[in-house]
Amino acid sequence: MAEKEKTYVQDVDRSLYDFRNEEKDAYRVKSGLTSDIVEKISTEKKDPEWMKEFRLKSLETYNKMEIPDWGPSIDELDMDNIVTYVRPNTHMSAKWSEVPEDIKDTFEKLGIPQAERKSLAGVGAQYDSELVYHNVREEVAAQGVIYSDLEGAMRGEYGEQYAEMIRTHFMKLVTPGDHKFAALHGAVWSGGSFVYVPKGVNVEIPLQSYFRLNAPGAGQFEHTLIIVDEGASLHFIEGCSAPKYNVANLHAGCVELFVGKNAKLRYSTIENWSKNMYNLNTKRAQIAEGGVMEWVSGSFGSHVSYLYPMTVLKGDNSRMEFTGITFAGHGQNLDTGAKVVHIGKNTSSYINTKSISKDGGISTFRSSVVIGAQAKKSKAAVSCQSLMLDEESRSDTIPAMDIRTPDADVGHEAKIGRISDEAVFYLMSRGISEEDARAMIVSGFADNVSKELPLEYAVEMNNLIQLEMKGSIG
């Protein structure tokens, strides 16, 4: 048995993500969570007074709330041992040449500069608790698009109108009272991006933020705030990874998305945290009349995940589509899904997910569809398919539907199964090895998700599947 496990470790090569740098942080707060630590973070951030007060009130809320007990266990996550703020020994720059060599090397290995040169309109790169690089193409900036670090925008560095925009939108969709880790985020958040797309502007090339957590025993709490104004459109990509340590790391970021009248936003994520990470992220979007929200989500990493992007279809004729894939391997308990609330009339939503579990991995899909009494002629459909690659793995589907009007069309479909021996045998009879045959079947299962991603990220997702499939036989 030990020999078999050793083979698994040799086969699953995460070296692309598991490299780590020598710690050269310029400043870090003490581990744990106190009002003194929150005030020190606020001072480091040069917060306006309203934000300092917001942080301290969020801490009060955090201390009053209970840890969730309905999902995977997070008993081994001890906040007394988590460092909530680590500032790398650098400053943010718009020039790649000015980023320190070790940090630059990290992002070079992950392919971020290459992707920017090839196919992105702008990039923000965060290392531990701070953005180290942020840049946007001149032709995009010339359209009036603001893509900046959130903290600088909050302090008015890019114009007072944007500082006011942040003040009126920050943690209004996701409030500190939503759950304990939203309150934690409100107290200790740092880093993240702000995007504003003006009325009628179509950003044809994606923007991307990449989050890298290098410090062991640390948390990352970036905040992403995107406002797409009336008739505008944007594709935003989020990537994240971390090296593996033998201590717990925590990711409790927050994403708030505001989609205006007849506007469109696609938000794509490839999440490949290491398997000592607790990923307790919160994402929410609010859609105005005629607006469109598209989510594309790939969850491959972390030890435990709680992740359920939520969409509020507030305006009439607004719509949402969520496409996701989750891959749970050895030592992983990934609890993922999506939630949608229909408020406007004639709104529509479609949730389509695939989950794969192997080597004892646990994958749980949760969906929540709420159709309010006023949301007449609304349509909602949920489709989830689960594939278990062995007898040790587990897959659960937990749908919830709350329908308050008879004038709605709602459907749910779920399938759970294993790889067909007949399909594997057929491919092997054509000269394909058993390992490759199984990988091909899994890749085909995930195909509709990869088709939704930009080319480079579809390739990355398929590579991750191939990488995880190694050693999955026997």
Side-chain angles (χ1 to χ4, degrees):
M1 186 68 186
E3 184 60 34
K4 185 173 172 183
E5 289 174 355
K6 185 178 178 184
T7 305
Y8 280 12
V9 173
Q10 288 171 339
D11 285 340
V12 180
D13 176 15
R14 289 186 79 258
S15 58
L16 173 60
Y17 303 99
D18 272 344
F19 65 88
R20 60 187 73 166
N21 292 342
E22 179 188 347
E23 286 186 82
K24 296 179 182 177
D25 44 271
Y27 176 79
R28 60 165 56 201
V29 296
K30 293 178 182 176
S31 57
L33 192 61
T34 65
S35 57
D36 283 348
I37 287 172
V38 171
E39 287 189 26
K40 281 179 181 175
I41 293 172
S42 187
T43 301
E44 278 288 313
K45 294 296 178 186
K46 302 181 178 65
D47 281 343
E49 190 60 30
W50 71 266
M51 179 52 74
K52 180 180 177 180
E53 291 174 8
F54 185 92
R55 289 183 186 276
L56 291 169
K57 284 180 182 175
S58 296
L59 178 63
E60 288 178 15
T61 303
Y62 172 85
N63 287 328
K64 292 174 185 173
M65 298 184 86
E66 297 295 322
I67 289 176
D69 60 359
W70 46 265
S73 171
I74 52 174
D75 291 345
E76 292 177 22
L77 175 63
D78 184 353
M79 282 306 300
D80 289 339
N81 294 326
I82 295 289
V83 176
T84 52
Y85 178 72
V86 180
R87 172 160 50 83
N89 192 15
T90 185
H91 60 279
M92 193 185 76
S93 176
K95 292 183 179 178
W96 192 242
S97 59
E98 294 178 0
V99 176
E101 284 302 321
D102 57 336
I103 296 176
K104 186 160 57 176
D105 180 57
T106 295
F107 288 106
E108 289 279 2
K109 285 177 181 173
L110 294 167
I112 304 306
Q114 299 92 311
E116 179 184 15
R117 288 190 285 267
K118 282 184 193 173
S119 55
L120 297 171
V123 166
Q126 180 159 332
Y127 191 87
D128 291 336
S129 300
E130 292 284 356
L131 281 158
V132 295
Y133 174 75
H134 220 292
N135 194 26
V136 63
R137 286 191 185 182
E138 287 180 11
E139 62 267 34
V140 175
Q143 292 179 286
V145 175
I146 298 294
Y147 179 40
S148 70
D149 62 300
L150 182 62
E151 291 157 5
M154 177 184 68
R155 293 190 294 262
E157 293 173 12
Y158 308 101
E160 281 304 318
Q161 70 270 38
Y162 304 117
E164 185 57 30
M165 211 178 270
I166 289 168
R167 184 168 182 169
T168 56
H169 289 83
F170 184 87
M171 291 201 82
K172 294 298 194 294
L173 267 184
V174 178
T175 70
D178 282 6
H179 56 80
K180 192 172 182 72
F181 291 95
L184 173 66
H185 177 89
V188 300
W189 77 275
S190 57
S193 294
F194 170 64
V195 181
Y196 172 68
V197 184
K199 285 184 181 181
V201 172
N202 176 24
V203 183
E204 295 180 353
I205 315 172
L207 300 177
Q208 180 189 3
S209 283
Y210 199 96
F211 304 105
R212 176 72 176 179
L213 183 57
N214 184 68
Q220 195 169 56
F221 308 95
E222 81 288 344
H223 194 98
T224 301
L225 175 60
I226 299 177
I227 301 169
V228 184
D229 216 328
E230 183 177 343
S233 67
L234 172 69
H235 182 189
F236 191 87
I237 301 168
E238 172 189 76
C240 37
S241 68
K244 186 173 184 182
Y245 292 103
N246 58 2
V247 294
N249 277 43
L250 170 63
H251 179 238
C254 180
V255 174
E256 296 185 288
L257 311 173
F258 294 85
V259 181
K261 183 178 179 180
N262 298 323
K264 180 178 179 180
L265 173 60
R266 170 174 281 210
Y267 196 95
S268 300
T269 305
I270 288 286
E271 175 268 296
N272 192 34
W273 295 116
S274 54
K275 293 177 184 177
N276 59 304
M277 177 72 77
Y278 288 83
N279 185 34
L280 312 176
N281 215 13
T282 308
K283 300 180 178 184
R284 197 164 295 168
Q286 178 178 284
I287 320 302
E289 179 186 346
V292 177
M293 180 69 214
E294 296 177 350
W295 301 90
V296 181
S297 178
S299 297
F300 293 86
S302 75
H303 172 52
V304 170
S305 270
Y306 281 66
L307 181 61
Y308 326 95
M310 175 178 171
T311 308
V312 180
L313 295 172
K314 189 175 182 181
D316 294 349
N317 303 303
S318 56
R319 58 190 176 91
M320 175 279 265
E321 185 169 325
F322 179 92
T323 305
I325 186 160
T326 300
F327 197 122
H330 179 69
Q332 292 182 279
N333 192 334
L334 306 187
D335 201 297
T336 63
K339 181 174 183 176
V340 59
V341 178
H342 293 251
I343 297 173
K345 296 180 180 65
N346 198 37
T347 50
S348 66
S349 64
Y350 179 47
I351 297 171
N352 179 27
T353 68
K354 305 282 184 85
S355 66
I356 301 161
S357 50
K358 76 176 196 62
D359 293 349
I362 301 171
S363 177
T364 303
F365 168 77
R366 295 178 197 268
S367 64
S368 172
V369 176
V370 179
I371 298 184
Q374 306 301 315
K376 299 187 184 306
K377 299 196 184 315
S378 290
K379 296 178 180 178
V382 179
S383 173
C384 57
Q385 297 179 48
S386 301
L387 188 64
M388 292 176 289
L389 305 187
D390 50 50
E391 298 291 331
E392 304 167 349
S393 303
R394 178 170 171 170
S395 185
D396 292 293
T397 299
I398 307 173
M401 292 188 174
D402 180 358
I403 315 301
R404 302 297 176 98
T405 175
D407 190 6
D409 184 353
V410 183
H412 179 269
E413 175 192 8
K415 291 180 183 176
I416 296 179
R418 291 190 168 89
I419 287 181
S420 155
D421 289 338
E422 290 83 0
V424 173
F425 178 77
Y426 173 80
L427 291 170
M428 289 175 67
S429 73
R430 296 295 184 269
I432 297 169
S433 71
E434 183 179 355
E435 190 174 86
D436 287 345
R438 290 178 182 270
M440 285 175 70
I441 291 167
V442 172
S443 293
F445 179 75
D447 192 45
N448 71 326
V449 181
S450 61
K451 280 179 179 173
E452 296 295 321
L453 289 164
L455 179 61
E456 291 82 356
Y457 299 91
V459 170
E460 179 183 359
M461 193 186 89
N462 286 325
N463 285 344
L464 284 167
I465 289 173
Q466 296 284 345
L467 177 150
E468 288 284 1
M469 287 301 297
K470 298 293 185 184
S472 67
I473 296 161

